[in-house]
Amino acid sequence: MSGIMLNLVCEPGPGGKSGKYRGNSKHDRFLGRRHYLEHKGLLKEKQNKKRNKKIQQQKKKKSKNAQLNGGDRSTPDAIFPKFTSCLPNKTNELPSSANTLTQQSTFPFPSTASTSKRDPTHQAAPRTLGPLKYVALDCEMVGTGPKGCNGELARCSIVSYDGDVIFDKFIKPPNPVTDFRTRYSGVRRQDLFNATPFHQAQKEILKILTGKMVVGHAIHNDFKALKYFHPACQTRDTARIPLLNQKAGLPEHQTVSLKRLTKAILNKDIQTGKRGHSSVEDAKATMELYKVVENAWEQKLSALSLSAKAMDLALNQK
């Protein structure tokens, strides 16, 4: 019965192949086929197949996006580390029991909210970190861009807790140098001829700093040159430790130069002469300054940390 109806509907209209009725006949044939498929239930089945295929494609796309979003989000401009490390003591020696009981801990970079509310030098390292190795960092910068207005890394030095040099290299900036700032940086043109490329040096430096307590003077400038942010609780800035200013007989919250602090507290002269600064000398001086107030400063940080936790707990209970 349905076959007869199809033939009737698809029968060409009057006028044969004339232009007026040719379009109508094609439309009638289409409608006839559609009615036939609907009657047999084939049209609905075909539509369901298309719908299922579309849903599967959307699911695959969502899962692929989820995998991409869960990958590495680090940017070339600034590195936010998430690292796993075994943490020895600051004398670089592991106790005998640690060989069998060494634990690995993962420390994500702290959120922006936590670092913006509290000064980086006022954050004690969590007890879960255990005793950390201490290193001191100092960098020298040269100028790039018009009239050397942009400061870029040209030398980096890292010394141990005892003042031994761990890393000291000249580094070639990615951009052409327009001002060597030799009077302050101590860097000359010939020093950068065979210097280590920035990205290679950056990898070597960050490998050393990861998992360490890093001491520096106005250290945010050094991290900026390295295009890196170290965890705040593992950073000690001698330019922002009031106890050092007290030792030097200076106002607590005044920012004092490394040269002035070193002379006042250690009675040593640094950054002398016309050849510029030595990043090794500055790093050693920074570590010596920190060791003068280390015990008192760490105790104060622990007390501040406990009081902050108590305050947070009280606020949460309200």
Side-chain angles (χ1 to χ4, degrees):
M1 186 66 178
S2 59
I4 296 170
M5 287 177 66
L6 179 63
N7 291 333
L8 289 173
V9 174
C10 294
E11 184 176 335
K17 296 183 180 180
S18 65
K20 183 177 180 180
Y21 295 104
R22 187 163 55 237
N24 290 339
S25 63
K26 286 182 178 179
H27 182 65
D28 291 340
R29 284 197 297 274
F30 169 75
L31 291 176
R33 291 193 192 98
R34 186 179 181 87
H35 289 317
Y36 176 75
L37 291 172
E38 285 178 349
H39 180 73
K40 291 289 187 181
L42 299 174
L43 183 63
K44 192 172 183 180
E45 185 180 347
K46 190 174 182 181
Q47 288 175 342
N48 289 336
K49 285 182 179 179
K50 284 186 177 180
R51 191 181 296 110
N52 292 336
K53 187 176 181 181
K54 190 174 181 180
I55 291 171
Q56 288 178 356
Q57 288 177 347
Q58 288 176 348
K59 286 183 178 178
K60 286 181 180 179
K61 190 175 181 180
K62 285 181 181 179
S63 63
K64 188 175 181 181
N65 289 336
Q67 290 176 356
L68 290 173
N69 291 334
D72 183 15
R73 294 183 183 181
S74 61
T75 63
D77 293 330
I79 299 174
F80 300 85
K82 182 179 182 182
F83 50 88
T84 302
S85 61
C86 299
L87 299 172
N89 57 28
K90 64 189 177 187
T91 57
N92 301 340
E93 295 178 0
L94 285 169
S96 58
S97 59
N99 294 329
T100 56
L101 298 175
T102 302
Q103 296 181 349
Q104 289 189 341
S105 302
T106 302
F107 315 110
F109 186 81
S111 65
T112 307
S114 65
T115 55
S116 62
K117 290 180 181 178
R118 299 174 186 173
D119 191 298
T121 60
H122 294 302
Q123 293 190 32
R127 292 184 179 181
T128 54
L129 295 182
L132 295 173
K133 290 182 182 178
Y134 283 68
V135 295
L137 168 75
D138 189 78
C139 297
E140 301 296 344
M141 277 69 84
V142 293
T144 62
K147 297 182 179 181
C149 60
N150 302 319
E152 294 196 34
L153 186 65
R155 185 183 179 185
C156 180
S157 301
I158 303 172
V159 301
S160 69
Y161 185 81
D162 297 319
D164 299 321
V165 178
I166 300 172
F167 181 94
D168 180 36
K169 286 186 180 182
F170 287 104
I171 298 162
K172 189 172 184 179
N175 300 305
V177 179
T178 53
D179 184 1
F180 287 90
R181 305 178 184 177
T182 306
R183 180 181 173 186
Y184 303 103
S185 68
V187 179
R188 300 164 296 175
R189 184 183 300 274
Q190 56 267 34
D191 293 329
L192 301 185
F193 286 159
N194 298 314
T196 306
F198 173 78
H199 292 293
Q200 180 184 335
Q202 185 192 49
K203 289 179 182 178
E204 295 176 15
I205 294 165
L206 300 193
K207 190 175 180 181
I208 296 171
L209 299 186
T210 300
K212 308 290 196 308
M213 184 71 80
V214 182
V215 183
H217 193 83
I219 199 168
H220 61 280
N221 293 322
D222 301 311
F223 289 152
K224 183 179 178 181
L226 282 167
K227 298 181 180 180
Y228 166 74
F229 297 93
H230 198 65
C233 65
Q234 297 177 31
T235 303
R236 297 292 179 264
D237 191 341
T238 53
R240 305 181 75 173
I241 298 180
L243 290 178
L244 283 172
N245 287 23
Q246 290 176 13
K247 289 272 185 184
L250 299 167
E252 285 188 10
H253 300 290
Q254 180 180 338
T255 302
V256 185
S257 68
L258 177 64
K259 182 176 182 178
R260 189 177 176 188
L261 273 180
T262 305
K263 181 63 177 176
I265 297 175
L266 304 176
N267 196 27
K268 287 184 178 180
D269 293 313
I270 62 170
Q271 301 174 358
T272 57
K274 297 180 180 180
R275 294 187 177 182
H277 300 181
S278 165
S279 50
V280 171
E281 182 183 54
D282 290 354
K284 287 182 176 182
T286 304
M287 182 60 83
E288 286 185 47
L289 286 172
Y290 174 72
K291 287 163 76 172
V292 170
V293 295
E294 178 185 359
N295 293 332
W297 185 237
E298 292 302 329
Q299 288 175 7
K300 187 172 183 179
L301 289 184
S302 297
L304 288 170
S305 179
L306 289 172
S307 63
K309 286 179 181 177
M311 189 179 294
D312 291 342
L313 184 62
L315 290 172
N316 290 334
Q317 287 178 348
K318 287 182 181 180

